[in-house]
Amino acid sequence: MPLTESLVLDALKVVMDPDLHRDIVTLGFVRDVVIEGGQVSFTINLTTPACPVKEELKAQAEAAVQGIEGVTSVQIEMTATVRSRPSEAEDLLPDVANVIAIASGKGGVGKSTVTVNLAVALAQKGARVGILDADVYGPSVPLLLGAQNEKPFTEGQKIVPVFRFGVHTMSIGYLLDDDQAVLWRGPMVAGTVRQLLADVNWGTLDYLLVDLPPGTGDAPMSLAQLVPLTGVVIVSTPHNVAANIAGKAVQLFKRLNSPILGVVENMGVLVDPVTGAETRMFSGLSGEDLANQLKVPYLGSVPFDPQVSQAGDQGIPAVVAYPQSAQADALKEIAGRLAQQASIKAMTS
Ligand SMILES: Nc1ncnc2c1ncn2[C@@H]1O[C@H](COP(=O)(O)OP(=O)(O)O)[C@@H](O)[C@H]1O
Ligand SMILES: [Mg+2]
């Protein structure tokens, strides 16, 4: 039987995307099949460059096509096109595929640290990423990226984001002087969030991560009303109090019709640098238990490590400063799972 494109596509139907529960041919991921003698080449176009099962899918596809009679070699190119959230006509950010809010019940759980590291990890995978620091009460993104002295300039009518570690960033912190105290009232918060979305030239992005102020105040409400969110990530530490208010934040977003992409536990475990053994630091509700209780995905746990804190203080995200550490590994894995959940939401809504 001569080797044909349909034989190749039939063979590839055994390769299932584990998240979307359909095969890669039905999903339209397989492109540009070229057959020359026994040599087969094609492209698999995934939904995110940060796909955690990329190598697995490639290996399965290769094996499936190798198994066809007459095939002598298989060449696969792995690419990705990030799928867009459902968008409306008056969308403030039409060129941003995914807007993902990072929320927490209370402050100090490491929300900003996690946001910055996830953003840089996604950029390292080849995604186009931005961070909007919407924590008007404690904007810390500039400090965490060592960019506190940057003054963004405007081009045309719009503010140009500050580019750091591969990520486009905007924060009220760039626009205020260090000693400028602001007494924020609700409408001002809403107005500022709107400006940070609409008056900034975000360009074309795959992921815009929004670092929200802690709790369930004006910023999450305004954000969810101003742009359709792909979803929300909840950062929590395993104290019962923190977990409890994290639950309240989840309820708010559910009411606002914003899907919860998952829970990240921070500072829940200590990792022994020599043996790699993990010790849980608190007896409170773990991130995994919280995710189960809320019936949302669990994205993973970032261990407690003084290095993470020091890296932040020095303005270098841990995934850059300590790329080989357990915490960098955890953050990169969580970034992959987050991208995966965003793809699922975009592909199934
Ligand atoms: N995994 C971690 N290990 C050690 N320290 C951490 C970790 N995550 C955050 N921190 C530290 O905890 C403090 C609060 O973090 P931050 O990201 O500012 O929290 P939030 O944005 O929730 O208020 C900072 O000093 C930060 O360096
Ligand atoms: Mg913060």
Side-chain angles (χ1 to χ4, degrees), residues 104 106-114 135 140 144 211 266-267 302-306 308-310 312-313:
S104 68
K106 65 183 201 81
V109 298
K111 180 171 44 61
S112 301
T113 306
V114 168
D135 190 347
S140 56
L144 291 170
D211 186 7
N266 190 28
M267 301 190 268
V302 184
F304 178 87
D305 188 325
V308 171
S309 194
Q310 281 155 22
D313 289 347

Side-chain angles (χ1 to χ4, degrees), residues 125-279:
K125 289 279 185 182
R128 293 164 295 186
V129 187
I131 301 175
L132 191 168
D133 183 358
D135 190 347
V136 291
Y137 306 102
S140 56
V141 168
L143 277 166
L144 291 170
L145 296 172
Q148 62 273 30
N149 296 323
E150 295 281 337
K151 290 279 168 249
F153 56 93
T154 47
E155 213 174 60
Q157 298 297 312
K158 294 211 171 189
I159 309 173
V160 179
V162 173
F163 191 63
R164 270 288 202 280
F165 301 106
V167 177
H168 304 273
T169 69
M170 185 45 62
S171 168
I172 191 75
Y174 294 134
L175 309 173
L176 299 173
D177 290 333
D178 288 347
D179 48 4
Q180 204 172 339
V182 182
L183 271 177
W184 291 97
R185 287 173 289 108
M188 285 168 68
V189 173
T192 303
V193 172
R194 187 185 174 73
Q195 276 183 351
L196 291 171
L197 290 167
D199 298 350
V200 173
N201 185 5
W202 287 109
T204 304
L205 295 178
D206 295 319
Y207 304 102
L208 177 64
L209 304 192
V210 183
D211 186 7
L212 286 174
T216 50
D218 298 291
M221 291 276 280
S222 332
L223 179 70
Q225 282 159 5
L226 286 164
V227 277
L229 301 180
T230 303
V232 183
V233 174
I234 304 288
V235 180
S236 188
T237 52
H239 300 90
N240 281 336
V241 195
N244 191 357
I245 14 190
K248 289 210 177 98
V250 167
Q251 277 164 17
L252 171 75
F253 283 108
K254 284 191 169 165
R255 275 222 317 278
L256 293 169
N257 272 331
S258 302
I260 306 297
L261 298 174
V263 170
V264 174
E265 174 184 275
N266 190 28
M267 301 190 268
V269 291
L270 269 175
V271 179
D272 185 308
V274 181
T275 64
E278 293 190 356
T279 312

Side-chain angles (χ1 to χ4, degrees), residues 81-142:
T81 309
V82 175
R83 307 305 197 267
S84 233
R85 74 211 142 87
S87 157
E88 287 137 32
E90 71 282 17
D91 199 331
L92 287 176
L93 300 173
D95 300 323
V96 175
N98 292 284
V99 181
I100 298 173
I102 319 288
S104 68
K106 65 183 201 81
V109 298
K111 180 171 44 61
S112 301
T113 306
V114 168
T115 304
V116 161
N117 280 285
L118 292 182
V120 174
L122 288 169
Q124 286 173 338
K125 289 279 185 182
R128 293 164 295 186
V129 187
I131 301 175
L132 191 168
D133 183 358
D135 190 347
V136 291
Y137 306 102
S140 56
V141 168

Side-chain angles (χ1 to χ4, degrees), residues 12-66:
L12 285 171
K13 282 190 181 153
V14 301
V15 183
M16 299 291 289
D17 184 302
D19 303 306
L20 302 171
H21 309 293
R22 272 176 285 166
D23 69 85
I24 59 170
V25 179
T26 306
L27 286 166
F29 290 178
V30 181
R31 295 177 185 184
D32 307 327
V33 180
V34 176
I35 301 168
E36 279 166 16
Q39 299 176 344
V40 180
S41 71
F42 54 93
T43 300
I44 299 180
N45 186 252
L46 297 175
T47 54
T48 170
C51 178
V53 290
K54 182 157 132 188
E55 292 310 316
E56 220 171 292
L57 289 175
K58 186 178 180 187
Q60 285 176 15
E62 198 169 334
V65 177
Q66 280 290 2

